Amino acid sequence: MKINKIHTLLFILVTITCVTRLNAYEIQIEKGPALDAGPNTFLFENPIPPEENEALMSWLGGAEKIKRILIGTPYANKNQIALTKEYVQNRFEKSICINSQKDAWHYAPFTMGTIYLCNGSKINFNMYLSGISVGDNLFALIND
């Protein structure tokens, strides 16, 4: 009877660890500009543009494929929006592709950074007050 309880407890702990790891990419906020100057390798490995309304995280391969998001503190509107890890995570995990609206979109600058994927590829992004551009693609929170 004790062995079954121990196995059950170990199973629960391993399950919790695995589920926690799925969304455990690191968000690193640096003071000032934070942009990796190297080439954007993700666009070469994934040349397929996202579908309209496709989630940003889905297009990137899912949260489990992201190792780290490096982002700089905002250089505009510093006192209006607090840049926190939760804010960055929310923007990335809830943004969808709105490429059909790119030409009519208002691009108020906020900050920029780099997404590092677990496979070693990376891509720079711009975060605006109302959206995120990754490559030539625009993602935004809609109805949030």
Side-chain angles (χ1 to χ4, degrees):
M1 193 62 111
K2 274 187 164 180
I3 292 177
N4 285 340
K5 287 182 180 180
I6 292 172
H7 283 116
T8 302
L9 180 60
L10 286 173
F11 175 76
I12 291 170
L13 290 173
V14 168
T15 302
I16 289 171
T17 303
C18 290
V19 170
T20 302
R21 177 62 194 131
L22 288 178
N23 292 320
Y25 55 88
E26 176 188 1
I27 296 175
Q28 179 182 347
I29 299 174
E30 292 291 325
K31 192 169 190 145
L35 190 66
D36 190 320
N40 289 321
T41 56
F42 177 74
L43 293 176
F44 296 114
E45 295 172 11
N46 186 16
I48 302 168
E51 301 275 331
E52 191 73 12
N53 296 316
E54 182 176 359
L56 171 58
M57 295 300 277
S58 175
W59 182 65
L60 292 171
E64 65 276 5
K65 302 287 186 185
I66 297 175
K67 181 177 182 180
R68 175 172 58 118
I69 296 175
L70 171 66
I71 189 166
T73 53
Y75 48 81
N77 299 317
K78 289 183 181 179
N79 296 324
Q80 293 181 10
I81 298 174
L83 185 71
T84 64
K85 290 180 180 183
E86 294 80 16
Y87 177 82
V88 174
Q89 183 176 12
N90 184 56
R91 290 284 301 271
F92 270 84
E93 292 186 1
K94 293 186 177 181
S95 290
I96 62 168
C97 179
I98 58 165
N99 279 341
S100 64
Q101 299 176 36
K102 281 195 307 191
D103 294 335
W105 201 255
H106 177 67
Y107 294 92
F110 190 50
T111 190
M112 61 183 69
T114 303
I115 304 163
Y116 295 90
L117 301 175
C118 294
N119 68 3
S121 62
K122 63 184 184 73
I123 186 167
N124 293 328
F125 66 90
N126 288 308
M127 184 179 285
Y128 305 103
L129 291 176
S130 57
I132 300 171
S133 65
V134 182
D136 291 330
N137 305 294
L138 181 61
F139 298 86
L141 299 173
I142 303 296
N143 298 324
D144 191 48

